[in-house]
Amino acid sequence: GLFRLAASESGLCYLAFPKHTEASFYNWIKQWYPDHEVQENQAPFVQVIEQLKSYFAGELQEFDLQLDFGEVTGNLFIGLTVDDVQLKGPTGPILSAGRISVRYHLPMLLQRKLVVNHLSIERLHLDLTRKEDGTWNISDFIGSEIQEPDRPRSGKPFGILVKTLLMSSSTVNIEDTTERPTQRYLFEGIQLDIGLESTSVLMADIRHLAFRLKQPQLVVKGLKGGVHYDLNDNHLKLDGLSIETDQSQLILNAQLQRDKPVPEFTLDANIAALSLAELGHWLSIPEPNRGRIIGKVYLNGTPNHMSHRLSLEMDGQTLTAEGVLKRDDDHDFGLVTNGKIRHLNPAGWPL
């Protein structure tokens, strides 16, 4: 494929791989070097080209090149560390980070796969806004660059493997102006350890995730498990997703299939502890204000026909039930269920 190189008077500043378009290459130069004039000249890149050829031939591991990346340290072809990162779009700041460190394995690009061995992001602050037309503010910056012209697809899709992604002391602010009133979600204190792989299927191995959600208020002390999303079949799967908050703990297995005329959904929840006070606080309702539920919940079906199986216990009271929840063409709900309630004690209800 065709590699495109850009250099300033200080040294090499950009290497665009074959997957990037010519338009995105020049857009990058215009974004980061607006006061510079572009001159096409291969002479400054003789050394770079020779070292690239040796690197992809397996003859070279270390490069001797002068770089121009501002506050960047490391080896361009093995790994980099960037301090005080800032990204601004036409509508304002989008992203900032105290430090981003990445180590990668470039030769796998020849096999249509980007391998990132380690990616660390410290003190990330991300502001995402969904505008009234449904687009996101980040598309102002990357939208025109991520579109590639139509071309014949090769048999092998381009793959991305991130073996370890670490995030610490980070904040994500989301504002959705398509909602009335505008909805705002602030995630603070984000700590993340995850592995990612993407081809036609996106797979995430969440080893640890913790955060504080300000409104509605929720503190997640630990979340781990597997997430799989098939882009072709529009099929989402949660595999052993364990969630722990200050007062609750549960494990979820779930599937959502959206490739059918009516989406199908399956949820299997094993509840070690579900705090009703915490749930009420998260839903911003005064009741329930106490109590704890343990047990199992199984749901399967479509939005119009959902079967259920419950086995729950709260303060010595038990509920077992099985049946179907239906919705007719007038959007009226009907419940058909049978079960048992034992040791009923209304005085102990959290109301």
Side-chain angles (χ1 to χ4, degrees):
L2 177 64
F3 288 80
R4 294 182 174 88
L5 306 172
S8 70
E9 60 276 7
S10 300
L12 181 68
C13 61
Y14 189 40
L15 168 62
F17 289 90
K19 67 184 291 289
H20 295 110
T21 66
E22 181 179 6
S24 69
F25 175 72
Y26 285 106
N27 284 341
W28 186 94
I29 297 174
K30 182 178 179 180
Q31 173 71 30
W32 295 104
Y33 293 86
D35 299 327
H36 285 61
E37 178 184 352
V38 178
Q39 297 179 353
E40 296 189 5
N41 183 3
Q42 290 192 10
F45 301 107
V46 173
Q47 182 186 12
V48 179
I49 293 171
E50 290 301 319
Q51 292 193 34
L52 277 172
K53 289 180 178 179
S54 298
Y55 177 77
F56 285 111
E59 302 168 355
L60 183 68
Q61 295 296 322
E62 297 288 338
F63 288 79
D64 181 19
L65 300 172
Q66 187 173 0
L67 306 179
D68 178 18
F69 276 103
E71 297 298 321
V72 178
T73 58
N75 187 314
L76 176 62
F77 299 95
I78 297 176
L80 296 171
T81 296
V82 187
D83 290 317
D84 298 322
V85 178
Q86 292 191 9
L87 179 64
K88 295 182 180 180
T91 58
I94 296 176
L95 177 150
S96 65
R99 170 171 290 186
I100 298 178
S101 298
V102 59
R103 294 190 65 83
Y104 36 73
H105 189 59
L106 293 185
M108 291 298 294
L109 285 173
L110 300 178
Q111 302 179 30
R112 296 184 57 80
K113 190 170 187 177
L114 172 63
V115 177
V116 177
N117 295 318
H118 186 94
L119 173 60
S120 175
I121 305 174
E122 302 175 18
R123 304 184 303 281
L124 170 73
H125 186 97
L126 178 62
D127 282 299
L128 295 176
T129 300
R130 189 181 186 189
K131 297 178 289 187
E132 292 186 359
D133 62 2
T135 62
W136 292 86
N137 61 333
I138 197 167
S139 66
D140 294 334
F141 184 78
I142 65 173
S144 61
E145 297 187 17
I146 61 175
Q147 301 295 327
E148 295 197 21
D150 293 335
R151 64 183 66 185
R153 290 183 176 271
S154 64
K156 186 177 181 181
F158 189 85
I160 299 175
L161 173 62
V162 181
K163 294 182 179 179
T164 298
L165 189 161
L166 300 177
M167 187 183 298
S168 61
S169 304
S170 297
T171 301
V172 175
N173 182 46
I174 302 175
E175 183 174 298
D176 189 350
T177 62
T178 64
E179 299 288 339
R180 293 292 183 271
T182 297
Q183 297 296 308
R184 295 177 176 85
Y185 306 94
L186 179 60
F187 297 85
E188 298 178 305
I190 299 173
Q191 307 288 332
L192 176 65
D193 179 357
I194 189 173
L196 297 169
E197 185 169 4
S198 174
T199 50
S200 60
V201 178
L202 173 62
M203 295 180 289
D205 176 20
I206 306 173
R207 295 183 279 265
H208 177 72
L209 171 62
F211 60 85
R212 300 187 305 274
L213 178 60
K214 194 164 186 178
Q215 186 63 37
Q217 188 171 353
L218 178 67
V219 177
V220 174
K221 297 171 60 177
L223 186 153
K224 61 182 180 181
V227 179
H228 306 260
Y229 181 64
D230 191 316
L231 301 174
N232 294 327
D233 296 336
N234 208 354
H235 183 188
L236 174 66
K237 180 181 179 182
L238 306 181
D239 187 11
L241 197 66
S242 173
I243 305 172
E244 181 180 0
T245 67
D246 281 337
Q247 303 175 47
S248 302
Q249 186 174 359
L250 62 156
I251 298 176
L252 303 178
N253 290 283
Q255 295 190 54
L256 176 61
Q257 294 178 279
R258 300 184 61 185
D259 59 331
K260 301 181 178 181
V262 179
E264 293 186 4
F265 176 76
T266 300
L267 172 67
D268 189 354
N270 190 339
I271 305 171
L274 177 61
S275 167
L276 294 180
E278 190 175 54
L279 181 62
H281 201 61
W282 182 61
L283 296 175
S284 300
I285 57 177
E287 308 288 353
N289 55 21
R290 57 188 170 85
R292 186 179 69 168
I293 291 177
I294 62 175
K296 296 183 178 181
V297 175
Y298 177 81
L299 303 174
N300 175 253
T302 70
N304 298 325
H305 189 281
M306 181 72 68
S307 63
H308 62 271
R309 189 167 63 246
L310 311 176
S311 177
L312 304 173
E313 178 182 342
M314 183 185 71
D315 298 333
Q317 305 170 84
T318 61
L319 167 67
T320 57
E322 186 172 353
V324 176
L325 177 65
K326 299 180 179 180
R327 185 177 66 169
D328 59 26
D329 294 338
D330 296 326
H331 302 289
D332 294 325
F333 286 94
L335 177 64
V336 178
T337 189
N338 62 80
K340 296 180 180 179
I341 299 178
R342 295 183 178 181
H343 310 297
L344 182 63
N345 179 21
W349 293 359
L351 300 173

